[in-house]
Amino acid sequence: MGVERDLDLLENKNSNVLTGMNFEIRMDDEPNFSDPEDFVDDITDEELLDDLLKNEPEETDGVESVIIVDGIPKVGPERFEKLKNVIHKLYSNFGKIATVDYPLDENGVTKGYVFLEFSSPEIANEAVKATNGYKLDKHHIFHVNLFTDFKKYENIPDEWRPPSPQPYVEHGNLKYWLQEPDAYDQYSVIYESGGKTAIYLNTNPEPTLLQEREAWTETYVQWSPLGTYLATFHPRGIALWVGEKFTQFMRFSHNKVQCISFSPCEKYLVTFSNIPESKDDPNCIMIWEIATGIKKRSFHLEPHLPLTWPMIKWSHDDKYFAKLGKDMLSVYETPSFGLMEKKSIKIPGIKNFSWSPTDNIVAYWVVGEKDVPARVILLEIPSRKELRSKNLFNVADCNMQWPKSGDYLCVKVVRYTKAKKEKNEIKYGKMYVNFEVFYMREKQIPVDSIEIKENIIAFSWEPVGNKFAVIHGDGAFITVSFYGIKSGGTMTLLKKFEKKQCNRLFWSPFGQYIVLAELKTSMSGSLEFIDTSDFTSMAFIKDILASDVEWDPTGRYVVSATSQWTYKLDNAFWLWTFCGRLFRKKDVEGFCQLLWRPRPPTLLSEEKVKEIKKNLKKFSAHFDLKDQMSLSKASKEIIDKRLKLIKEFGNMRKRMIDEFNSNKIIRLELRNGIDTDELDSEVGNLEEEVVEFLIKEDIVVLEE
């Protein structure tokens, strides 16, 4: 009971206190919040609203996306809508246009320029580069500038100051691998299921590791066509690596790149991703300048065209590139990256095209319709002069191949036999193949034709030479036929191999030698090495499971590989000589890809190359000696160590002899002038004593 009484007293006490406080507050006067008359407010809005003012729009926001097009026609109200449509059609190709403003005079006539605002500064820059100097007609040439350029030009100082030099970045010798004294080639290997990438030098007897890195690439690697750059793939784009240490040369930002291609002279890089950059800029194909890393041009992915790579094809000298469109071929010029003559070439029914490897000539084929035949056409660039055309009937498909010399164009034409007319419809029969060969170096470019009425599995033209090979037939009756052009200029069957096991053809980079390969079959495959100079089979290797075959750039070695991307087990690669002798086998855990580093074309003339081939036997003894030395049991490191020790011993011996000779006077004084050394005046012919001592003795008991 005492505790309850104490709690009641405490509760009453707190109630009285609260009542007193309320009474005192009600009795006081209301507070006054007014400032004194002499009060000065020194607090700024930035201090009070700092977070909100950070997001306040500025007057210059968005001007980086505005361009000014000067030189447009001056038209009245009756032609104003037509002008707007022309300008919108031209500039909407670069991206979304946010706003357009046409200044008008008091009569409603345009003043000759227009303001265009795009959705991003990148699109505005691309529009300026592509359309500055655009010729609308004979009297109107566009002069296009960014809106921000005017402010830049207004603020040019009166006194010229030289630009500050940019720091030089040393990337090493970009062609160092060509100076290898023994002409060993390099190759890249991806293994451990893509986790590691390494660069090897193909030394003998074992390859030399030059560089090894983990997670160097996300998917695969690719060498540039002249071997200068190594490209690696990453989620945010492409990286190029150069030099002896493979330092990073340039990065190109393009999300989820799937395919890339280099221009033949390595000036430009094309990247492709089927994921657009953004909704406002849905470009999937981008062209970059390698030296600067600047994006020069980009293109949409046209849904009506087949998804084949490369979509951008280059001329041999990087001066032009072309892109296929619907019923048109668009040829662009570099370095402006504008359309040649400001318009595409309209070609109804065009299906595919190919550049000559040595001349600015485009070969393309056009599908036929009803009674109109299909055609293969040779077009000269930039004159657009038609050099030759060939009509083809009942065509289903065409495939074009050039040798490196550009002397010939071989067109594989898939045709079908025409059946009878039934109910005003033409029914077609079986397929057969024609090979149309264009003689590019002869007058009027004559064409020769060969017909094969069998299933064509593969065909390939000799890279350097005048022959091509065809695999044809079905099932167990597979035939390999070789055709060549004789001195009279006629195509002739040179050799036919029947009942062969192959589905792929791999020519040596310099011709003459070819590998007939059976790849990616459920059963074990095979490789056959053939010398086409006399069509002898140099070697036949069977029961070898392979997914890839690749020649080295010199034509001395061939690699056959079993990639984890195709087969999950027994991943390895085999190195063969050009005549089919096994040089090395390498089992690699999780092996994925092997690529040889390309070499640029030789600087030697054709006469010099022929002279070297003619006198090759004179140099063979020297090469054989070097090969024997490299095949010795001692490794390269041990040989270098031994040479270093021999050199150090020779230097030490010379120092000791010099010191011995310099102390002769002292020895004579100690020996009372008697010369007991009996030294020769030149070398110091001391008596040599051979001492032999036992290092180790092993006793092995042999059983009877």
Side-chain angles (χ1 to χ4, degrees), residues 385-396:
K385 178 183 176 182
E386 187 175 303
L387 301 177
R388 185 69 160 86
S389 66
K390 172 74 174 178
N391 291 337
L392 304 170
F393 295 91
N394 306 328
V395 175

Side-chain angles (χ1 to χ4, degrees), residues 174-226:
L174 303 190
K175 302 291 184 181
Y176 79 95
W177 86 97
L178 300 175
Q179 300 175 352
E180 216 290 318
D182 294 320
Y184 289 126
D185 285 293
Q186 296 181 10
Y187 59 86
S188 62
V189 179
I190 299 178
Y191 56 101
E192 290 190 5
S193 303
K196 287 186 178 180
T197 304
I199 311 295
Y200 286 93
L201 188 67
N202 189 35
T203 51
N204 197 12
E206 292 296 326
T208 302
L209 178 64
L210 301 178
Q211 197 74 217
E212 183 182 45
R213 298 180 189 177
E214 294 185 2
W216 200 353
T217 183
E218 186 75 14
T219 52
Y220 61 99
V221 300
Q222 184 170 327
W223 294 99
S224 60
L226 303 181

Side-chain angles (χ1 to χ4, degrees), residues 35 39-50 53:
D35 294 328
F39 177 78
V40 178
D41 188 0
D42 57 354
I43 301 177
T44 63
D45 292 340
E46 285 75 10
E47 292 178 303
L48 294 174
L49 305 173
D50 183 48
L53 291 177

Side-chain angles (χ1 to χ4, degrees), residues 16-29:
N16 293 333
V17 171
L18 291 173
T19 303
M21 289 178 61
N22 292 336
F23 177 77
E24 291 176 358
I25 292 173
R26 286 195 299 270
M27 292 300 293
D28 290 341
D29 296 333

Side-chain angles (χ1 to χ4, degrees), residues 259-262 270 308-314 322 324 352-353:
C259 302
I260 66 171
S261 65
F262 290 85
V270 184
T308 57
W309 188 256
M311 300 174 188
I312 303 293
K313 298 180 182 180
W314 296 85
L324 194 65
N352 205 349
F353 73 98

Side-chain angles (χ1 to χ4, degrees), residues 72-269:
I72 68 171
K74 296 181 180 181
V75 299
E78 66 280 358
R79 299 179 60 192
F80 182 56
E81 288 298 325
K82 184 177 181 180
L83 176 64
K84 288 172 62 177
N85 292 334
V86 171
I87 298 297
H88 184 271
K89 183 178 179 181
L90 174 63
Y91 283 95
S92 60
N93 292 325
F94 300 100
K96 182 180 178 181
I97 301 175
T99 59
V100 183
D101 183 27
Y102 290 86
L104 307 174
D105 61 13
E106 61 276 4
N107 297 322
V109 178
T110 57
K111 292 185 176 182
Y113 55 91
V114 59
F115 296 87
L116 296 170
E117 182 184 359
F118 290 94
S119 57
S120 68
E122 291 77 15
I123 301 177
N125 277 283
E126 186 179 347
V128 170
K129 293 177 183 178
T131 61
N132 186 32
Y134 178 82
K135 189 175 181 181
L136 185 65
D137 53 40
K138 294 181 180 180
H139 306 288
H140 298 91
I141 298 176
F142 289 175
H143 301 284
V144 188
N145 292 279
L146 292 170
F147 186 79
T148 53
D149 288 344
F150 288 88
K151 185 177 180 181
K152 179 177 67 176
Y153 297 141
E154 288 176 357
N155 297 330
I156 295 177
D158 296 333
E159 183 180 353
W160 179 81
R161 294 181 180 178
S164 57
Q166 298 295 322
Y168 173 71
V169 180
E170 175 61 46
H171 293 290
N173 184 3
L174 303 190
K175 302 291 184 181
Y176 79 95
W177 86 97
L178 300 175
Q179 300 175 352
E180 216 290 318
D182 294 320
Y184 289 126
D185 285 293
Q186 296 181 10
Y187 59 86
S188 62
V189 179
I190 299 178
Y191 56 101
E192 290 190 5
S193 303
K196 287 186 178 180
T197 304
I199 311 295
Y200 286 93
L201 188 67
N202 189 35
T203 51
N204 197 12
E206 292 296 326
T208 302
L209 178 64
L210 301 178
Q211 197 74 217
E212 183 182 45
R213 298 180 189 177
E214 294 185 2
W216 200 353
T217 183
E218 186 75 14
T219 52
Y220 61 99
V221 300
Q222 184 170 327
W223 294 99
S224 60
L226 303 181
T228 307
Y229 307 102
L230 175 68
T232 56
F233 290 69
H234 308 275
R236 294 186 179 182
I238 299 296
L240 298 186
W241 310 83
V242 296
E244 298 183 35
K245 301 298 182 182
F246 288 91
T247 57
Q248 191 176 102
F249 178 79
M250 193 65 65
R251 291 181 298 175
F252 305 94
S253 179
H254 192 178
N255 291 331
K256 301 294 183 181
V257 173
Q258 296 169 311
C259 302
I260 66 171
S261 65
F262 290 85
S263 62
C265 299
E266 298 184 342
K267 292 181 181 178
Y268 307 103
L269 174 70

